[in-house]
Amino acid sequence: MSMSDSDSSQSGDHKTFRQITRDRLLCEMIRSTKVKDSKSTWKVLIMDKVTVRIMSNSCKMVDITEEGVSLVEDLYKRRQPLPTMDAIYFIQPTKENVALFLSDMSGRSPLYRKAYVFFSSSIQKELVAQIKKDSSVLPRIAALSEMNLEYFAIDSQGFVTDHERALEELFGENVEGSHKYNACLNTMATRIATTFASLREFPYVRYRAAKSSLDVSTVTTLRDLVPTKLAAAVWNCLAKYKSTIPDFPQGETCELLIVDRTIDQIAPIIHEWTYDAMCHDLLNMEGNKYIHEVKVETKDGKQKTEKKEVLLEDHDPIWLELRHAHIADASERLHEKMTNFIMKNKAAQIHQSSRDRGELSTRDLQKVVQALPNYGEQMDKLSLHVEIAGKINNVIKELGLREIGQLEQDLAFGDAGTKELINFLRTKQDVTPENKLRLLMIYAAIYPEKFESDKGSKLMQLARLSGDDMNAVNNMRYLAGSDTKKTSGVAFSLKFDVHRKKHPFRKERNDEAGTWQLSRFYPMIEELIEKLSKGELPKDEYPCMNDPSPTFHGTSQSLPVRTTHSQPAYSMRSRRPATWARPRNSDDGYSSDSVLRHASSDFKRMGQRIFIFIVGGATRSELRAVHKLTSKLKREIILGSSSLDDPPQFITKLKMMSAQELSLDDLQI
C-alpha cells in the first residue's frame, strides 16, 4: 500500500490518504507501545466490531504481526487470561466498551499485564473519570489516548463512514421526529472529522444549501437540511480539535464540500462501463472478493475443480491498471498482455509448443524450471483477469446491455425521451425486470412531471414492474427533500428539485479525445469539484461555514490552478465505428507492475487537498472521477460517503426507505 514518503501536501513529497491511515495505525499506535527493556515482546491487540474493520481496511495481518502483535482478539468475546503479556486496546469510546475494558483489567487477576488504550474518537469526560476512579486498573494502564481515527479507508482516495442505512434513516418516510436521524448524523460527523485529525488538515467547510434558504416559499424538511446539519456537526468537531490535538492547523489548509444524493440521482443507477464497476454490478461479488473455479491435481493424479477466493484490490498491479478502463478496452489490453507474455516468457512458449508436439525434451524442462518462478504467478494473474473480463462480456451479450446502455446514456444527455423509452419497452420483452426498473428510474429522475399524472404509472405497467420496483421509483421523491405524501394505488407524486432546470440533461464534455460512446456519462461531482477548485461554486447554493478570504481559490501559492485546453467539438449523437475501442498506448504483460512502483509520483508537488462527502452512498463512477480529477487538477481529491453502493444495493436501499421491519437481505433484487 506504500504510495509515497512524506507528510506534507505543501512541501514536495506526499503520502496518500490511505498510506497516512496505515502509518498512524501501525506506527503511531502499535509501534508506540514498544518498550526497549520490556520483558514482554509480543502483545495482544483487542478491537471491537468497528475498529477491526478500520484496521482491516488499511492493514494486513502480516503488517500487524511485524509490529509485535501475536494475537488479535474480539473485545466482546470471552478471552483466555494472558497475565504475562501486554495488551493494546483499539476501541470506540462507548460506555459498553469502557465497562468491558475495566472488567478485563480490574481486580487481583487482570487478563493482561499492562494495557495500552487507544480510542477511535474523542471520549467523554465522564468515561475518563470512570476509568480513573478504579484504583486497581489505573496502575496497569500504560497509555490512554485518543487516536481520532474512525473511518474506513476503502481506496487510496476514498473512505466510508459505514452508514449503510443512511438513506432510510436520513431521507426515509418517518425521519420527522426519529431519534435515528440525529444519531446517524452525529456519528457520521465524528467519523468525517477524524479524517481531518489523521491528515492534520483544517478545511473550509462548504455544503449544499437547503432549498428553503434559496426560496422562502419552500417548506423546510429534515431531509433537505441533512447537508446543513452535517456540516455544522463536522465544524463543531473540528473546532474542538484546534484546541485539543497537538499540531492541528489553526488556519484553513484544504477544502471540504458536503452534498447528498439529491445532486445526482442517476449516477447510482446507470450502468457504468468500467472494468471495476462491471465486476461489482454484474458478477455478484461480495465486496472485493471474487470466487472462481480452478483445476487442481489430486494425489492419485486425477484433476478436480475447487473454488478459490481472490481479492481485487490495490496489491494486484493488473487490477490497479485496468480497473478504471472501459470494459472493451480492458479486454483488448488483457488479450495483448497475454499474447506478449507468451512471446516473452520461455516457460509459456515451451508450455505452448509442448501442446503442439505432445512431449518435452530434457533441455525444454530445464528452461521451464528456470522460468517457472515468474511464469506461475504472472500467468495466474493474467488468466484470472482474462476469465473475469470474459464473464463480463458474456453477461453484456446475454442481457443486451449495449443497447440498454445506449438508451440510458441517450436519456441522460437528452438524445432520447418518452417515445424512445416506450418503443424500447414494447419491442424488448426479454429485458430483465432489474434493467427495466433502472431505465424507469433514470427516466423519472429526468422527467419527474410525467409521474404527477397517470403517465408514470402507465409506463411502469408497460414495463411490468412489481410492487417493490414501483416502490423504488416512488421513493426517489424522498431524495429531493419533498414532504409529499404517497397517494393510494400506483399513482403517486414525485417532487424533485424545483430549483433546477426542467429537464436536467447532462452537458456534453469534450475534454477527452476519442471517448467511448458508452462512457459519455459522468457523475455530477466532476462539475462540482472543478468549480470548487476554480473558486466558482455559487455561494448561495454552496455556502461556507468559515468564510474564506477572496484571494483563496483552493491552491497553494506556488501552484496556480491549471486550465486544460478543450478538445475540438464532437457530436455525440453520431454513431461511432463498430470498434468501440479508444486509442491508447498498449503495453506488454509485465508493464502493469510499474503502476504500483510509480503510483506515488503523481502525488508529489500537489496543491491543497479537496474532500467531497456524499450522504446517501457514493458510486464507483464517482470514485473513478476523483482519481481522474486528481491528475487533471494536480490536487489530491478524496471522496467520502456513508457507503459505497453498486446499483443493486442502492435500489434495495431505496425500497427500504418506506419498508418497515425489513432487512437488506429481504429486499435483494
Side-chain angles (χ1 to χ4, degrees):
M1 293 180 191
S2 181
M3 292 287 182
S4 192
D5 309 299
S6 176
D7 294 311
S8 175
S9 63
Q10 310 295 322
S11 58
D13 288 355
H14 181 100
K15 284 186 179 180
T16 65
F17 167 70
R18 199 179 210 173
Q19 174 62 22
I20 291 172
T21 305
R22 177 179 179 272
D23 285 355
R24 287 201 68 213
L25 291 169
L26 295 178
C27 304
E28 186 178 330
M29 185 173 77
I30 299 177
R31 193 178 297 173
S32 70
T33 64
K34 291 183 179 180
V35 180
K36 289 182 180 179
D37 301 325
S38 175
K39 295 178 182 178
S40 177
T41 306
W42 293 98
K43 292 184 174 64
V44 183
L45 176 61
I46 300 153
M47 296 180 282
D48 57 37
K49 288 181 180 179
V50 169
T51 54
V52 74
R53 288 190 54 226
I54 292 170
M55 182 70 74
S56 63
N57 271 281
S58 296
C59 306
K60 295 179 182 178
M61 192 62 207
V62 67
D63 299 326
I64 301 168
T65 305
E66 285 177 356
E67 294 298 335
V69 172
S70 60
L71 183 63
V72 176
E73 295 268 41
D74 185 339
L75 177 66
Y76 281 79
K77 288 184 179 178
R78 191 171 181 178
R79 284 162 276 128
Q80 178 185 352
L82 298 167
T84 61
M85 293 183 72
D86 292 344
I88 302 169
Y89 284 81
F90 179 37
I91 55 178
Q92 291 178 282
T94 64
K95 290 180 181 178
E96 295 80 9
N97 285 359
V98 168
L100 286 169
F101 161 69
L102 291 174
S103 174
D104 287 351
M105 298 302 296
S106 63
R108 294 183 178 180
S109 303
L111 291 186
Y112 311 106
R113 192 175 70 92
K114 289 277 186 183
Y116 297 83
V117 187
F118 299 90
F119 293 109
S120 57
S121 56
S122 300
I123 184 171
Q124 295 177 355
K125 291 180 180 178
E126 294 79 10
L127 293 178
V128 176
Q130 185 181 342
I131 294 170
K132 288 181 176 180
K133 193 164 55 177
D134 194 320
S135 57
S136 65
V137 172
L138 206 55
R140 295 165 184 160
I141 297 176
L144 191 67
S145 177
E146 294 174 342
M147 278 297 289
N148 286 311
L149 199 165
E150 201 173 286
Y151 54 86
F152 306 83
I154 56 167
D155 185 86
S156 60
Q157 291 174 237
F159 72 93
V160 296
T161 59
D162 193 35
H163 288 90
E164 292 289 341
R165 303 187 85 136
L167 277 181
E168 178 189 357
E169 293 176 0
L170 300 179
F171 299 92
E173 193 171 38
N174 301 310
V175 297
E176 303 291 336
S178 168
H179 74 279
K180 290 182 179 179
Y181 179 94
N182 285 328
C184 180
L185 275 182
N186 289 335
T187 308
M188 195 179 293
T190 298
R191 292 179 179 175
I192 293 169
T194 64
T195 63
F196 297 98
S198 281
L199 272 63
R200 293 297 192 270
E201 296 267 28
F202 180 54
Y204 287 102
V205 181
R206 291 181 171 82
Y207 58 95
R208 179 192 65 75
K211 298 176 189 71
S212 57
S213 67
L214 301 172
D215 183 356
V216 292
S217 64
T218 304
V219 177
T220 303
T221 65
L222 281 178
R223 299 183 194 99
D224 195 29
L225 287 172
V226 166
T228 307
K229 286 179 172 288
L230 183 59
V234 170
W235 176 256
N236 288 337
C237 292
L238 295 172
K240 292 176 184 175
Y241 288 166
K242 291 175 76 172
S243 59
T244 58
I245 296 180
D247 303 323
F248 193 78
Q250 298 301 301
E252 291 82 355
T253 61
C254 63
E255 302 262 14
L256 167 64
L257 175 61
I258 296 175
V259 296
D260 56 22
R261 203 58 271 170
T262 67
I263 62 157
D264 191 349
Q265 299 175 45
I266 299 177
I269 301 161
I270 197 167
H271 284 91
E272 163 79 355
W273 287 79
T274 58
Y275 185 41
D276 179 10
M278 285 268 147
C279 284
H280 290 88
D281 192 359
L282 304 182
L283 298 185
N284 297 317
M285 289 172 56
E286 294 179 24
N288 292 328
K289 187 193 302 179
Y290 174 73
I291 301 174
H292 68 129
E293 293 183 346
V294 293
K295 289 183 179 180
V296 295
E297 193 169 316
T298 60
K299 292 180 180 179
D300 55 4
K302 295 180 180 179
Q303 283 194 335
K304 68 173 184 177
T305 302
E306 288 185 353
K307 289 187 176 180
K308 184 180 178 182
E309 293 181 357
V310 292
L311 292 175
L312 301 180
E313 292 182 335
D314 291 3
H315 60 78
D316 179 345
I318 298 176
W319 171 256
L320 196 62
E321 178 189 348
L322 298 180
R323 60 180 177 168
H324 295 150
H326 192 287
I327 180 59
D329 188 21
S331 300
E332 289 191 16
R333 285 161 73 174
L334 283 168
H335 176 74
E336 289 174 7
K337 283 178 180 293
M338 184 65 84
T339 302
N340 291 337
F341 178 74
I342 291 172
M343 287 174 62
K344 294 186 177 184
N345 190 286
K346 290 179 182 178
Q349 290 171 17
I350 295 166
H351 179 72
Q352 192 69 34
S353 63
S354 68
R355 285 184 173 181
D356 301 333
R357 298 199 310 267
E359 60 181 11
L360 279 175
S361 67
T362 305
R363 185 173 176 79
D364 287 342
L365 281 171
Q366 187 179 8
K367 289 179 180 178
V368 169
V369 171
Q370 289 172 349
L372 273 179
N374 289 328
Y375 171 72
E377 183 182 352
Q378 294 186 39
M379 191 66 178
D380 285 347
K381 284 180 182 177
L382 276 171
S383 298
L384 169 69
H385 288 285
V386 168
E387 175 191 316
I388 293 172
K391 278 189 178 181
I392 291 171
N393 284 314
N394 287 337
V395 174
I396 290 171
K397 189 175 180 180
E398 289 168 9
L399 298 181
L401 286 186
R402 291 187 193 176
E403 194 171 352
I404 293 169
Q406 186 66 59
L407 180 55
E408 289 177 344
Q409 306 248 341
D410 287 347
L411 285 169
F413 283 88
D415 293 343
T418 310
K419 181 181 176 182
E420 288 80 5
L421 178 61
I422 291 173
N423 183 59
F424 182 87
L425 293 174
R426 282 177 176 166
T427 57
K428 305 293 180 183
Q429 298 292 328
D430 56 344
V431 174
T432 64
E434 179 193 337
N435 285 327
K436 288 180 181 178
L437 170 61
R438 287 166 74 164
L439 279 169
L440 263 293
M441 293 175 81
I442 291 168
Y443 179 81
I446 299 167
Y447 300 98
E449 72 280 358
K450 303 288 186 184
F451 290 80
E452 292 176 2
S453 62
D454 62 350
K455 290 180 181 178
S457 60
K458 286 179 179 177
L459 271 174
M460 291 192 290
Q461 288 168 10
L462 177 62
R464 298 180 181 177
L465 295 189
S466 67
D468 269 350
D469 288 349
M470 289 184 182
N471 202 37
V473 184
N474 180 25
N475 286 347
M476 287 179 72
R477 69 196 169 104
Y478 293 129
L479 296 186
S482 169
D483 203 30
T484 309
K485 298 293 183 183
K486 278 190 293 185
T487 55
S488 59
V490 293
F492 52 79
S493 176
L494 269 165
K495 299 229 171 167
F496 290 77
D497 192 341
V498 295
H499 299 286
R500 67 188 182 185
K501 294 178 182 178
K502 187 178 180 183
H503 298 146
F505 300 129
R506 291 293 195 279
K507 296 176 183 177
E508 301 289 2
R509 292 171 71 89
N510 297 318
D511 56 350
E512 291 184 32
T515 305
W516 300 63
Q517 183 158 3
L518 288 176
S519 63
R520 291 168 64 192
F521 182 84
Y522 60 89
M524 291 306 297
I525 67 164
E526 277 198 34
E527 286 189 0
L528 290 177
I529 292 170
E530 288 186 333
K531 287 181 179 178
L532 176 60
S533 182
K534 296 174 184 176
E536 295 176 357
L537 271 184
K539 291 183 179 180
D540 57 339
E541 295 178 28
Y542 298 95
C544 184
M545 296 292 295
N546 40 347
D547 294 323
S549 62
T551 57
F552 183 85
H553 290 292
T555 58
S556 59
Q557 291 180 354
S558 60
L559 187 68
V561 175
R562 296 191 180 190
T563 56
T564 55
H565 297 288
S566 59
Q567 299 293 333
Y570 183 87
S571 173
M572 302 298 264
R573 294 172 185 264
S574 60
R575 293 293 173 252
R576 299 295 176 90
T579 57
W580 22 306
R582 171 164 76 180
R584 67 198 179 282
N585 295 321
S586 183
D587 52 3
D588 58 30
Y590 302 98
S591 62
S592 56
D593 290 318
S594 66
V595 176
L596 289 176
R597 287 197 303 270
H598 301 295
S600 66
S601 62
D602 289 339
F603 287 93
K604 294 179 180 179
R605 304 189 67 81
M606 286 280 187
Q608 292 178 321
R609 289 185 177 102
I610 294 176
F611 296 78
I612 181 163
F613 189 88
I614 304 173
V615 185
T619 70
R620 294 184 191 277
S621 63
E622 289 162 337
L623 193 55
R624 173 178 58 83
V626 301
H627 281 274
K628 184 181 84 172
L629 290 174
T630 292
S631 297
K632 181 179 178 180
L633 303 176
K634 304 301 179 188
R635 300 177 65 180
E636 185 182 8
I637 319 292
I638 296 173
L639 174 67
S641 184
S642 46
S643 58
L644 181 67
D645 295 332
D646 299 305
Q649 295 170 301
F650 183 78
I651 294 170
T652 298
K653 291 176 180 180
L654 271 179
K655 293 176 181 179
M656 291 190 66
M657 288 172 71
S658 61
Q660 299 300 312
E661 297 182 4
L662 289 174
S663 70
L664 288 168
D665 295 330
D666 295 329
L667 283 167
Q668 291 296 334
I669 61 173

